[in-house]
Amino acid sequence: MKAIEACVVGSGPSGFFAADALLRRVPDIRVDILDRLPTPYGLVRGGVAPDHQGTKNIARQFERLCQHPSVRFLGNVGLGRDVGYAELKDFYDLVVLALGAPVDRKLGVPGENLPGVYGSGAFVGWYNGHPDHRDLAPLLDCPAVAIVGNGNVAIDVARVLAKTPEEMAGSDLCRHAGEVIAAAPLTDIYVIGRRGPAQASFTPAELAELGRLRRTAPKVAPRDVATNLPADSPAAKKNLEILRGLAQQPPAGKPLTLHFIFHAAPQAILGRERVEGIRLARSGVAAEAGAVTDKTFELAVGAVVTCIGYRTVAVPGLPFDPARGVVRNVDGQVEPGVCVVGWSKRGPSGTIPTNRADSFAVIERAVGSIGESLTAKPGGRALDLLLSERSVRAVTFADWLRIDEREKATAPPGRPREKLTRTEELLAAIGDQ
Ligand code: NAP
């Protein structure tokens, strides 16, 4: 019986969990894990906050998977760039799409294209050294910044801007970003929610961290966290308790204030040459997302970071749901021999463990139907041939280990690594370029 040939496109958590599920579930299988970047691990490397190193430990599990004799990592191979969707379907019995959601959603308000407005995908990618965003050069030469959104990404961005360089010791914040953030003359960071504190999607542990910053005092209006507010989940209840605690914290003469602004929906980004402010409309206490009053107010800010979610990328030939910004699927099934997992399946929600459960469930359904469509697919050797014809330098896992070694060797004291942030630098570090 011929081995099953599977290909996972995307080496973030959902892709690795899918590969893990395939290895556990199908006895005789070969799995190629592709990534368009020369580096593996997706958001573990490029999204997870640089000062949350504990969250990145999951990469060790993924590293072990890459050393499994039936698994190959092939970095620097982009779907739609180096290999087509139809080609992958021709080569493999099963294609698992784990494309993530790398495109920032837009606010859809006037002024959004002014210099100084950044989506969180780009901004976080910049400070995390993602090659796509390495040269973003955000305008942080201003005293005040607005962060739009009340999720954990908004908290990450606020915290990374608010911490001192000493508080970032032990992180892998990239040098180019650390220098800009340290030099920014920030006095006010506004975290803006279009609904109330009970509707925020912060997780309590992340929110509580904002009360323990050295140079930054949180500011919460007591009226926003009144004791009679209904909270319909344990997390919302906990968030309200934390915010009430923050509302009572004395500012203690700290130079930077982190303002929580609730019930404020963005109406326009203001400015001529660059961002000078943001106009917000008051939304009612029980307002649904987007339901606003005609009472508006403005905040003077020099930059805006929108942390309002993401969409996946549309790849030629791939069924796409433009309304939801995901690959079109039913419970993860796209078409015979193709399934989708993670944020490209269900949109940008959930943490790393959420993706494990999701990928395992999708693979469980997919393997049930592999036998039905099984033909003599050539698998990885056909891909290798095609990549060689197209002069694509695929990065193997052994290559990645050399990059990893270089990044660790060049880390400043106390830091885990200094990331290489440009594709050319990453490829050069492999040593054969
Ligand atoms: P999120 O939790 O869905 O938060 C998105 C926020 O954007 C919501 O507050 C939403 O408000 C707001 N929003 C959307 N459209 C808006 C608009 N047009 N105007 C104003 N506000 C708007 O997403 P996220 O923060 O991007 O995080 C994505 C996922 O990654 C989440 O599951 C998160 O928990 C996870 N994550 C986890 C960690 C961690 O565990 N440390 C860190 C980062 C991210 P409404 O609620 O009103 O729609």
Side-chain angles (χ1 to χ4, degrees), residues 236-292:
K237 195 162 175 261
K238 189 84 191 127
N239 281 344
L240 281 171
E241 276 167 28
I242 293 164
L243 287 164
R244 283 184 194 119
L246 298 184
Q248 280 161 19
Q249 255 190 32
K254 294 185 178 179
L256 180 52
T257 306
L258 176 52
H259 308 255
F260 287 87
I261 311 286
F262 293 108
H263 300 296
Q267 300 300 291
I269 313 287
L270 312 170
R272 283 164 179 266
E273 305 291 317
R274 60 171 282 180
V275 174
E276 293 170 29
I278 182 166
R279 181 176 303 133
L280 300 151
R282 281 276 166 221
S283 50
V285 174
E288 294 303 315
V292 297

Tab-separated table of all heavy atoms in Angstrom, residues 236-292:
chain	number	residue	atom	x	y	z
A	236	ALA	N	-15.547	38.347	31.531
A	236	ALA	CA	-16.001	39.744	31.558
A	236	ALA	C	-16.089	40.239	33.002
A	236	ALA	O	-15.723	41.380	33.311
A	236	ALA	CB	-17.346	39.871	30.845
A	237	LYS	N	-16.577	39.379	33.875
A	237	LYS	CA	-16.696	39.743	35.292
A	237	LYS	C	-15.303	40.034	35.866
A	237	LYS	O	-15.097	41.032	36.546
A	237	LYS	CB	-17.349	38.570	36.036
A	237	LYS	CG	-17.855	38.878	37.387
A	237	LYS	CD	-18.846	37.779	37.814
A	237	LYS	CE	-19.275	38.031	39.242
A	237	LYS	NZ	-18.581	37.238	40.218
A	238	LYS	N	-14.374	39.182	35.536
A	238	LYS	CA	-12.996	39.347	36.035
A	238	LYS	C	-12.378	40.630	35.455
A	238	LYS	O	-11.720	41.397	36.159
A	238	LYS	CB	-12.183	38.109	35.617
A	238	LYS	CG	-10.834	38.012	36.203
A	238	LYS	CD	-10.857	37.389	37.604
A	238	LYS	CE	-9.516	37.550	38.283
A	238	LYS	NZ	-9.484	38.127	39.560
A	239	ASN	N	-12.607	40.852	34.146
A	239	ASN	CA	-12.084	42.076	33.520
A	239	ASN	C	-12.606	43.323	34.232
A	239	ASN	O	-11.861	44.281	34.471
A	239	ASN	CB	-12.485	42.142	32.039
A	239	ASN	CG	-11.612	41.254	31.165
A	239	ASN	OD1	-10.548	40.825	31.586
A	239	ASN	ND2	-12.065	40.998	29.949
A	240	LEU	N	-13.907	43.297	34.556
A	240	LEU	CA	-14.480	44.458	35.248
A	240	LEU	C	-13.822	44.661	36.609
A	240	LEU	O	-13.494	45.791	36.978
A	240	LEU	CB	-15.992	44.277	35.410
A	240	LEU	CG	-16.805	44.587	34.156
A	240	LEU	CD1	-18.258	44.169	34.335
A	240	LEU	CD2	-16.731	46.084	33.835
A	241	GLU	N	-13.588	43.566	37.297
A	241	GLU	CA	-12.920	43.685	38.613
A	241	GLU	C	-11.529	44.302	38.450
A	241	GLU	O	-11.129	45.180	39.200
A	241	GLU	CB	-12.733	42.300	39.239
A	241	GLU	CG	-13.929	41.784	39.984
A	241	GLU	CD	-13.784	40.292	40.300
A	241	GLU	OE1	-12.638	39.813	40.429
A	241	GLU	OE2	-14.828	39.618	40.377
A	242	ILE	N	-10.807	43.818	37.431
A	242	ILE	CA	-9.437	44.334	37.213
A	242	ILE	C	-9.498	45.818	36.863
A	242	ILE	O	-8.740	46.636	37.394
A	242	ILE	CB	-8.735	43.527	36.106
A	242	ILE	CG1	-8.503	42.095	36.575
A	242	ILE	CG2	-7.417	44.170	35.698
A	242	ILE	CD1	-8.168	41.117	35.450
A	243	LEU	N	-10.426	46.181	35.977
A	243	LEU	CA	-10.536	47.585	35.567
A	243	LEU	C	-10.934	48.469	36.750
A	243	LEU	O	-10.456	49.604	36.872
A	243	LEU	CB	-11.535	47.725	34.416
A	243	LEU	CG	-11.019	47.196	33.065
A	243	LEU	CD1	-12.164	46.990	32.083
A	243	LEU	CD2	-9.977	48.149	32.468
A	244	ARG	N	-11.778	47.954	37.625
A	244	ARG	CA	-12.143	48.733	38.827
A	244	ARG	C	-10.902	48.958	39.691
A	244	ARG	O	-10.696	50.048	40.221
A	244	ARG	CB	-13.222	47.995	39.627
A	244	ARG	CG	-14.578	48.138	39.004
A	244	ARG	CD	-15.698	47.496	39.819
A	244	ARG	NE	-16.856	47.414	38.959
A	244	ARG	CZ	-17.457	46.287	38.597
A	244	ARG	NH1	-17.062	45.118	39.055
A	244	ARG	NH2	-18.491	46.324	37.761
A	245	GLY	N	-10.087	47.933	39.770
A	245	GLY	CA	-8.828	48.073	40.524
A	245	GLY	C	-7.928	49.121	39.869
A	245	GLY	O	-7.359	49.974	40.549
A	246	LEU	N	-7.846	49.090	38.549
A	246	LEU	CA	-7.004	50.064	37.832
A	246	LEU	C	-7.543	51.480	38.022
A	246	LEU	O	-6.773	52.439	38.144
A	246	LEU	CB	-6.938	49.737	36.334
A	246	LEU	CG	-6.319	48.390	35.930
A	246	LEU	CD1	-6.244	48.271	34.410
A	246	LEU	CD2	-4.924	48.220	36.522
A	247	ALA	N	-8.889	51.615	38.050
A	247	ALA	CA	-9.505	52.947	38.218
A	247	ALA	C	-9.089	53.562	39.549
A	247	ALA	O	-9.053	54.786	39.691
A	247	ALA	CB	-11.026	52.835	38.130
A	248	GLN	N	-8.771	52.709	40.517
A	248	GLN	CA	-8.406	53.234	41.847
A	248	GLN	C	-6.906	53.402	42.030
A	248	GLN	O	-6.461	53.943	43.033
A	248	GLN	CB	-8.949	52.285	42.914
A	248	GLN	CG	-10.425	52.532	43.148
A	248	GLN	CD	-11.112	51.359	43.815
A	248	GLN	OE1	-10.458	50.512	44.414
A	248	GLN	NE2	-12.425	51.316	43.697
A	249	GLN	N	-6.132	52.931	41.040
A	249	GLN	CA	-4.663	53.042	41.201
A	249	GLN	C	-4.230	54.498	41.121
A	249	GLN	O	-4.586	55.186	40.166
A	249	GLN	CB	-3.969	52.294	40.052
A	249	GLN	CG	-3.384	50.973	40.463
A	249	GLN	CD	-2.502	50.392	39.357
A	249	GLN	OE1	-1.846	51.101	38.586
A	249	GLN	NE2	-2.491	49.086	39.280
A	250	PRO	N	-3.437	54.985	42.084
A	250	PRO	CA	-2.933	56.354	41.965
A	250	PRO	C	-1.894	56.439	40.843
A	250	PRO	O	-1.187	55.455	40.596
A	250	PRO	CB	-2.279	56.605	43.330
A	250	PRO	CG	-2.026	55.254	43.907
A	250	PRO	CD	-2.965	54.282	43.268
A	251	PRO	N	-1.819	57.567	40.109
A	251	PRO	CA	-0.886	57.650	38.971
A	251	PRO	C	0.574	57.562	39.389
A	251	PRO	O	1.425	57.211	38.583
A	251	PRO	CB	-1.211	59.002	38.332
A	251	PRO	CG	-2.001	59.764	39.339
A	251	PRO	CD	-2.639	58.779	40.269
A	252	ALA	N	0.880	57.881	40.647
A	252	ALA	CA	2.226	57.726	41.209
A	252	ALA	C	3.302	58.437	40.397
A	252	ALA	O	4.435	57.979	40.317
A	252	ALA	CB	2.557	56.229	41.349
A	253	GLY	N	2.926	59.559	39.767
A	253	GLY	CA	3.908	60.398	39.073
A	253	GLY	C	4.556	59.734	37.875
A	253	GLY	O	5.663	60.107	37.478
A	254	LYS	N	3.908	58.736	37.283
A	254	LYS	CA	4.524	58.058	36.139
A	254	LYS	C	4.417	58.931	34.882
A	254	LYS	O	3.406	59.615	34.699
A	254	LYS	CB	3.864	56.700	35.928
A	254	LYS	CG	4.127	55.745	37.085
A	254	LYS	CD	3.562	54.373	36.818
A	254	LYS	CE	3.896	53.436	37.973
A	254	LYS	NZ	3.364	52.089	37.789
A	255	PRO	N	5.426	58.878	34.020
A	255	PRO	CA	5.435	59.801	32.872
A	255	PRO	C	4.474	59.430	31.742
A	255	PRO	O	4.204	60.243	30.862
A	255	PRO	CB	6.884	59.715	32.382
A	255	PRO	CG	7.373	58.381	32.853
A	255	PRO	CD	6.655	58.087	34.128
A	256	LEU	N	3.987	58.215	31.745
A	256	LEU	CA	3.144	57.757	30.628
A	256	LEU	C	1.801	57.298	31.177
A	256	LEU	O	1.756	56.571	32.177
A	256	LEU	CB	3.892	56.621	29.908
A	256	LEU	CG	3.289	55.941	28.698
A	256	LEU	CD1	2.858	56.941	27.643
A	256	LEU	CD2	4.324	54.990	28.088
A	257	THR	N	0.719	57.737	30.525
A	257	THR	CA	-0.623	57.334	30.963
A	257	THR	C	-1.257	56.461	29.892
A	257	THR	O	-1.214	56.794	28.703
A	257	THR	CB	-1.511	58.583	31.204
A	257	THR	OG1	-0.828	59.438	32.106
A	257	THR	CG2	-2.860	58.198	31.792
A	258	LEU	N	-1.839	55.357	30.341
A	258	LEU	CA	-2.540	54.443	29.434
A	258	LEU	C	-4.033	54.606	29.708
A	258	LEU	O	-4.541	54.142	30.729
A	258	LEU	CB	-2.066	53.013	29.725
A	258	LEU	CG	-2.690	51.856	28.987
A	258	LEU	CD1	-2.657	52.071	27.486
A	258	LEU	CD2	-1.913	50.582	29.308
A	259	HIS	N	-4.713	55.319	28.801
A	259	HIS	CA	-6.126	55.637	29.007
A	259	HIS	C	-6.992	54.544	28.382
A	259	HIS	O	-6.804	54.216	27.206
A	259	HIS	CB	-6.500	56.936	28.280
A	259	HIS	CG	-5.612	58.103	28.596
A	259	HIS	ND1	-6.000	59.133	29.422
A	259	HIS	CD2	-4.356	58.429	28.177
A	259	HIS	CE1	-5.031	60.037	29.497
A	259	HIS	NE2	-4.022	59.631	28.746
A	260	PHE	N	-7.936	54.032	29.136
A	260	PHE	CA	-8.941	53.135	28.552
A	260	PHE	C	-10.157	53.987	28.190
A	260	PHE	O	-10.758	54.622	29.055
A	260	PHE	CB	-9.347	52.058	29.564
A	260	PHE	CG	-8.302	51.019	29.771
A	260	PHE	CD1	-7.289	51.215	30.716
A	260	PHE	CD2	-8.317	49.843	29.036
A	260	PHE	CE1	-6.315	50.240	30.911
A	260	PHE	CE2	-7.340	48.873	29.222
A	260	PHE	CZ	-6.342	49.066	30.168
A	261	ILE	N	-10.470	54.024	26.906
A	261	ILE	CA	-11.601	54.824	26.436
A	261	ILE	C	-12.660	53.839	25.926
A	261	ILE	O	-12.418	53.142	24.927
A	261	ILE	CB	-11.184	55.757	25.272
A	261	ILE	CG1	-9.914	56.540	25.609
A	261	ILE	CG2	-12.323	56.665	24.841
A	261	ILE	CD1	-10.066	57.662	26.574
A	262	PHE	N	-13.785	53.773	26.605
A	262	PHE	CA	-14.829	52.827	26.190
A	262	PHE	C	-15.970	53.566	25.491
A	262	PHE	O	-16.089	54.790	25.579
A	262	PHE	CB	-15.359	52.071	27.413
A	262	PHE	CG	-14.323	51.155	28.018
A	262	PHE	CD1	-13.722	51.472	29.242
A	262	PHE	CD2	-13.935	49.999	27.363
A	262	PHE	CE1	-12.765	50.635	29.798
A	262	PHE	CE2	-12.975	49.154	27.908
A	262	PHE	CZ	-12.393	49.481	29.129
A	263	HIS	N	-16.833	52.810	24.831
A	263	HIS	CA	-18.011	53.363	24.148
A	263	HIS	C	-17.626	54.483	23.190
A	263	HIS	O	-18.237	55.552	23.169
A	263	HIS	CB	-19.021	53.907	25.173
A	263	HIS	CG	-19.509	52.861	26.110
A	263	HIS	ND1	-20.230	51.781	25.691
A	263	HIS	CD2	-19.346	52.716	27.451
A	263	HIS	CE1	-20.510	51.005	26.729
A	263	HIS	NE2	-19.967	51.546	27.801
A	264	ALA	N	-16.572	54.237	22.420
A	264	ALA	CA	-16.080	55.269	21.498
A	264	ALA	C	-15.760	54.614	20.157
A	264	ALA	O	-14.811	53.824	20.066
A	264	ALA	CB	-14.842	55.934	22.085
A	265	ALA	N	-16.585	54.915	19.159
A	265	ALA	CA	-16.413	54.279	17.843
A	265	ALA	C	-15.713	55.245	16.893
A	265	ALA	O	-16.154	56.394	16.736
A	265	ALA	CB	-17.777	53.892	17.279
A	266	PRO	N	-14.616	54.814	16.248
A	266	PRO	CA	-13.891	55.707	15.343
A	266	PRO	C	-14.768	56.186	14.177
A	266	PRO	O	-15.453	55.379	13.546
A	266	PRO	CB	-12.742	54.833	14.824
A	266	PRO	CG	-12.588	53.761	15.843
A	266	PRO	CD	-13.949	53.514	16.391
A	267	GLN	N	-14.718	57.486	13.929
A	267	GLN	CA	-15.469	58.080	12.816
A	267	GLN	C	-14.561	58.590	11.720
A	267	GLN	O	-14.923	58.596	10.554
A	267	GLN	CB	-16.327	59.257	13.329
A	267	GLN	CG	-17.320	58.869	14.384
A	267	GLN	CD	-18.300	57.832	13.865
A	267	GLN	OE1	-19.122	58.126	13.022
A	267	GLN	NE2	-18.201	56.603	14.348
A	268	ALA	N	-13.390	59.073	12.117
A	268	ALA	CA	-12.442	59.605	11.122
A	268	ALA	C	-11.058	59.698	11.757
A	268	ALA	O	-10.935	59.896	12.969
A	268	ALA	CB	-12.877	60.990	10.658
A	269	ILE	N	-10.052	59.517	10.901
A	269	ILE	CA	-8.690	59.815	11.334
A	269	ILE	C	-8.413	61.206	10.773
A	269	ILE	O	-8.662	61.464	9.584
A	269	ILE	CB	-7.661	58.817	10.763
A	269	ILE	CG1	-8.113	57.366	10.931
A	269	ILE	CG2	-6.288	59.059	11.368
A	269	ILE	CD1	-8.077	56.785	12.296
A	270	LEU	N	-7.911	62.090	11.605
A	270	LEU	CA	-7.757	63.488	11.221
A	270	LEU	C	-6.307	63.811	10.899
A	270	LEU	O	-5.397	63.204	11.468
A	270	LEU	CB	-8.243	64.382	12.369
A	270	LEU	CG	-9.607	63.991	12.964
A	270	LEU	CD1	-9.882	64.765	14.244
A	270	LEU	CD2	-10.709	64.241	11.932
A	271	GLY	N	-6.107	64.775	10.007
A	271	GLY	CA	-4.744	65.206	9.702
A	271	GLY	C	-4.627	65.592	8.244
A	271	GLY	O	-5.467	65.223	7.424
A	272	ARG	N	-3.551	66.364	7.945
A	272	ARG	CA	-3.315	66.760	6.552
A	272	ARG	C	-2.241	65.889	5.927
A	272	ARG	O	-2.499	65.064	5.084
A	272	ARG	CB	-2.849	68.224	6.492
A	272	ARG	CG	-3.965	69.210	6.665
A	272	ARG	CD	-3.409	70.586	6.997
A	272	ARG	NE	-4.489	71.546	7.135
A	272	ARG	CZ	-4.914	72.324	6.148
A	272	ARG	NH1	-4.339	72.289	4.977
A	272	ARG	NH2	-5.908	73.172	6.344
A	273	GLU	N	-1.015	66.061	6.406
A	273	GLU	CA	0.105	65.294	5.850
A	273	GLU	C	0.253	63.943	6.539
A	273	GLU	O	0.780	63.005	5.979
A	273	GLU	CB	1.416	66.065	6.039
A	273	GLU	CG	1.400	67.475	5.466
A	273	GLU	CD	1.352	67.453	3.952
A	273	GLU	OE1	2.078	66.650	3.361
A	273	GLU	OE2	0.552	68.221	3.371
A	274	ARG	N	-0.187	63.900	7.804
A	274	ARG	CA	-0.061	62.673	8.594
A	274	ARG	C	-1.117	62.734	9.693
A	274	ARG	O	-1.819	63.740	9.821
A	274	ARG	CB	1.331	62.542	9.200
A	274	ARG	CG	1.692	63.673	10.126
A	274	ARG	CD	2.975	63.426	10.884
A	274	ARG	NE	2.775	62.514	12.013
A	274	ARG	CZ	3.749	62.143	12.837
A	274	ARG	NH1	4.978	62.578	12.635
A	274	ARG	NH2	3.517	61.340	13.846
A	275	VAL	N	-1.199	61.677	10.468
A	275	VAL	CA	-2.215	61.641	11.522
A	275	VAL	C	-1.984	62.761	12.538
A	275	VAL	O	-0.863	62.963	13.013
A	275	VAL	CB	-2.172	60.284	12.263
A	275	VAL	CG1	-3.120	60.292	13.462
A	275	VAL	CG2	-2.507	59.146	11.329
A	276	GLU	N	-3.081	63.477	12.832
A	276	GLU	CA	-3.012	64.495	13.885
A	276	GLU	C	-4.038	64.222	14.980
A	276	GLU	O	-3.996	64.829	16.046
A	276	GLU	CB	-3.252	65.887	13.286
A	276	GLU	CG	-2.128	66.329	12.348
A	276	GLU	CD	-2.476	67.593	11.556
A	276	GLU	OE1	-3.261	68.426	12.045
A	276	GLU	OE2	-1.963	67.720	10.432
A	277	GLY	N	-4.994	63.344	14.679
A	277	GLY	CA	-6.003	63.060	15.697
A	277	GLY	C	-6.963	61.985	15.239
A	277	GLY	O	-6.869	61.467	14.115
A	278	ILE	N	-7.879	61.640	16.126
A	278	ILE	CA	-8.911	60.660	15.783
A	278	ILE	C	-10.242	61.183	16.317
A	278	ILE	O	-10.306	61.716	17.432
A	278	ILE	CB	-8.559	59.259	16.349
A	278	ILE	CG1	-9.614	58.214	15.957
A	278	ILE	CG2	-8.361	59.263	17.864
A	278	ILE	CD1	-9.159	56.774	16.185
A	279	ARG	N	-11.280	61.090	15.469
A	279	ARG	CA	-12.623	61.513	15.902
A	279	ARG	C	-13.424	60.267	16.269
A	279	ARG	O	-13.458	59.293	15.511
A	279	ARG	CB	-13.338	62.294	14.803
A	279	ARG	CG	-14.731	62.751	15.254
A	279	ARG	CD	-15.423	63.618	14.212
A	279	ARG	NE	-14.623	64.771	13.869
A	279	ARG	CZ	-14.371	65.177	12.618
A	279	ARG	NH1	-14.878	64.521	11.587
A	279	ARG	NH2	-13.620	66.232	12.390
A	280	LEU	N	-14.037	60.338	17.443
A	280	LEU	CA	-14.769	59.188	17.963
A	280	LEU	C	-16.201	59.589	18.257
A	280	LEU	O	-16.460	60.744	18.644
A	280	LEU	CB	-14.105	58.708	19.254
A	280	LEU	CG	-12.637	58.281	19.070
A	280	LEU	CD1	-11.832	58.494	20.333
A	280	LEU	CD2	-12.565	56.829	18.619
A	281	ALA	N	-17.121	58.658	18.073
A	281	ALA	CA	-18.528	58.919	18.422
A	281	ALA	C	-18.868	58.089	19.644
A	281	ALA	O	-18.502	56.904	19.715
A	281	ALA	CB	-19.436	58.545	17.260
A	282	ARG	N	-19.532	58.719	20.583
A	282	ARG	CA	-19.981	57.994	21.777
A	282	ARG	C	-20.997	56.931	21.373
A	282	ARG	O	-21.924	57.206	20.599
A	282	ARG	CB	-20.664	58.965	22.742
A	282	ARG	CG	-19.679	59.764	23.535
A	282	ARG	CD	-19.221	58.953	24.745
A	282	ARG	NE	-18.047	59.541	25.343
A	282	ARG	CZ	-17.010	58.855	25.804
A	282	ARG	NH1	-16.976	57.537	25.708
A	282	ARG	NH2	-16.008	59.465	26.375
A	283	SER	N	-20.810	55.731	21.864
A	283	SER	CA	-21.813	54.705	21.605
A	283	SER	C	-22.526	54.429	22.917
A	283	SER	O	-21.953	54.585	23.989
A	283	SER	CB	-21.160	53.448	21.033
A	283	SER	OG	-20.078	53.065	21.827
A	284	GLY	N	-23.797	54.062	22.816
A	284	GLY	CA	-24.627	53.902	24.017
A	284	GLY	C	-24.120	52.765	24.887
A	284	GLY	O	-23.345	51.916	24.441
A	285	VAL	N	-24.599	52.754	26.131
A	285	VAL	CA	-24.098	51.788	27.102
A	285	VAL	C	-24.318	50.356	26.613
A	285	VAL	O	-23.462	49.501	26.715
A	285	VAL	CB	-24.774	52.008	28.474
A	285	VAL	CG1	-24.381	50.914	29.460
A	285	VAL	CG2	-24.382	53.368	29.005
A	286	ALA	N	-25.498	50.102	26.040
A	286	ALA	CA	-25.801	48.736	25.618
A	286	ALA	C	-25.693	48.600	24.100
A	286	ALA	O	-26.293	47.707	23.516
A	286	ALA	CB	-27.202	48.366	26.083
A	287	ALA	N	-24.947	49.505	23.478
A	287	ALA	CA	-24.928	49.528	22.009
A	287	ALA	C	-24.307	48.265	21.423
A	287	ALA	O	-23.348	47.734	21.950
A	287	ALA	CB	-24.136	50.731	21.527
A	288	GLU	N	-24.855	47.810	20.338
A	288	GLU	CA	-24.221	46.750	19.556
A	288	GLU	C	-23.022	47.367	18.867
A	288	GLU	O	-22.913	48.592	18.747
A	288	GLU	CB	-25.198	46.231	18.494
A	288	GLU	CG	-26.408	45.516	19.058
A	288	GLU	CD	-26.021	44.344	19.942
A	288	GLU	OE1	-25.139	43.579	19.540
A	288	GLU	OE2	-26.570	44.226	21.052
A	289	ALA	N	-22.113	46.506	18.381
A	289	ALA	CA	-20.937	47.016	17.682
A	289	ALA	C	-21.384	47.969	16.583
A	289	ALA	O	-22.237	47.636	15.779
A	289	ALA	CB	-20.164	45.855	17.100
A	290	GLY	N	-20.833	49.153	16.580
A	290	GLY	CA	-21.116	50.079	15.495
A	290	GLY	C	-22.295	51.011	15.737
A	290	GLY	O	-22.458	51.994	15.036
A	291	ALA	N	-23.141	50.742	16.743
A	291	ALA	CA	-24.291	51.621	16.989
A	291	ALA	C	-23.815	52.843	17.762
A	291	ALA	O	-23.375	52.722	18.898
A	291	ALA	CB	-25.357	50.872	17.772
A	292	VAL	N	-23.898	53.998	17.139
A	292	VAL	CA	-23.299	55.187	17.760
A	292	VAL	C	-24.318	56.310	17.919
A	292	VAL	O	-25.346	56.335	17.242
A	292	VAL	CB	-22.104	55.718	16.920
A	292	VAL	CG1	-21.000	54.694	16.873
A	292	VAL	CG2	-22.540	56.114	15.524
